[in-house]
Amino acid sequence: MAVLSREYGYVMLTGAASFVLVTHLAVKVGRARKKYNVEYPTMYSTDPEHGQIFNCIQRAHQNTLEAYPAFLFFLATSGLYHPRVATGLGITWILGRILYAYGYYTGDPKNRRRGAMGSFALIGLVGTGVYSACQHLGWNCQN
């Protein structure tokens, strides 16, 4: 039976905070659907006047959802052996996704680059998760 460190609670809270983020982005899309009259199940607007802004709002949410399973997996696995590192990287990913979304909400897709730190945080989680797997297998990862 595996025993989690007490600090793993921070990892769990980070996962919960990420759910708040995803929910916030979903609400923004729902409001944009009403504001720009984009009915379900239409994913993208073709409206020449407001389509670009709606599509940017929708893509910010969709892109976050595309990365979300990997984020949760590597947050959880990284946190097994490195809960503080995983928590720091997880919070950085969340903040990066907020900057990404609000940059995208301007209607200029180039502004989403403001959230690039989130991508670096996810790469850090992948590396920490792999390192944790090596530790769990008893492989000597240090020289």
Side-chain angles (χ1 to χ4, degrees), residues 69-117:
F71 167 76
L72 288 175
F73 175 79
F74 287 109
L75 176 70
T77 58
S78 295
L80 292 173
Y81 287 88
H82 306 282
R84 290 181 185 180
V85 172
T87 298
L89 290 169
I91 290 169
T92 302
W93 183 82
I94 292 168
L95 294 174
R97 295 316 297 184
I98 291 168
L99 292 172
Y100 177 92
Y102 279 85
Y104 225 155
Y105 293 169
T106 65
D108 182 358
K110 291 179 184 175
N111 290 335
R112 72 187 191 274
R113 294 180 191 156
R114 297 173 184 169
M117 68 182 190

Side-chain angles (χ1 to χ4, degrees), residues 5-16:
S5 72
R6 183 178 179 149
E7 291 177 330
Y8 195 80
Y10 296 122
V11 176
M12 296 163 68
L13 289 172
T14 303

